[in-house]
Amino acid sequence: MNRDFSIAAHKDASDIAALVNRAYRPVAGTGGWTHETEWIRGSRTSEHQVIASMNSGSVMLIRRQADSIIACVQVSFVGSVACIGMLATDPGLQGIGHGKLMLEDAEQYAKQSGAATTLQISVIECRTELVAFYERRGYRRTGRSSAYPLSGEFGVPFVGGVKVLEMTKAIRI
């Protein structure tokens, strides 16, 4: 498996949005284990949101197979915290290590920045298998959670009480 990632450019934004939406909110019958379709409807992100994120200082790391983006992760910095988001792998390629490698890439990128001492990720609380995935990689629940944003910007919950957990991990120097 290729260990190389690259930093996405604006021209990649449409492909990144499509990948994230396929991974988080796939159509019925699509494979993969990371989707949220049991709790949330609508797109997870858009090309415009990806570009806006890049323009505000976030970095999108991508992994390619041939000419296609098969995995991505967002890294943004708030003080000494590296926030990790939009970790996504093509549903047809999930379960073989691409997501784990992208997470490791994000952690290494944050560590090499020199500014971050903590990694932070937000996870839908009802995604117990995903929470366990991060816990196996050293992330711990902070005890802080918030209601899923209802603005519709990231999709709309169709069940009540969807919460977003905050998880963190110290960066080892």
Side-chain angles (χ1 to χ4, degrees):
M1 191 175 302
N2 182 359
R3 283 294 315 208
D4 296 331
F5 70 87
S6 60
I7 296 175
H10 284 102
K11 68 179 177 61
D12 299 313
S14 177
D15 292 338
I16 291 168
L19 169 65
V20 170
N21 288 325
R22 278 194 318 275
Y24 283 65
R25 315 278 163 68
V27 295
T30 304
W33 65 276
T34 61
H35 56 82
E36 303 167 342
T37 53
E38 294 177 40
W39 305 281
I40 303 166
R41 289 191 183 122
S43 295
R44 166 60 180 82
T45 195
S46 67
E47 178 181 2
H48 172 76
Q49 289 170 323
V50 173
I51 289 171
S53 174
M54 292 171 161
N55 287 343
S56 67
S58 290
V59 173
M60 292 296 302
L61 306 179
I62 56 175
R63 185 174 300 280
R64 292 182 187 274
Q65 187 171 11
D67 291 332
S68 298
I69 297 173
I70 60 163
C72 67
V73 65
Q74 175 188 39
V75 182
S76 57
F77 296 91
V78 179
S80 63
V81 178
C83 302
I84 296 173
M86 286 199 278
L87 177 61
T89 300
D90 186 282
L93 297 171
Q94 290 179 4
I96 59 174
H98 291 292
K100 183 174 135 186
L101 290 176
M102 282 289 3
L103 182 60
E104 290 171 3
D105 292 341
E107 292 174 354
Q108 191 62 30
Y109 183 86
K111 182 177 180 178
Q112 289 175 349
S113 76
T117 59
T118 304
L119 301 160
Q120 178 182 314
I121 195 157
S122 298
V123 184
I124 305 295
E125 183 179 42
C126 48
R127 297 293 322 283
T128 55
E129 71 285 358
L130 198 52
V131 171
F133 171 85
Y134 291 116
E135 287 176 333
R136 288 191 303 273
R137 281 147 189 85
Y139 288 81
R140 298 292 170 245
R141 299 174 200 212
T142 64
R144 291 186 290 273
S145 67
S146 58
Y148 189 87
L150 298 177
S151 66
E153 186 176 340
F154 305 108
V156 179
F158 62 91
V159 297
V162 176
K163 297 236 183 246
V164 179
L165 294 179
E166 179 183 291
M167 300 179 79
T168 60
K169 177 179 176 179
I171 294 179
R172 306 260 190 270
I173 297 177

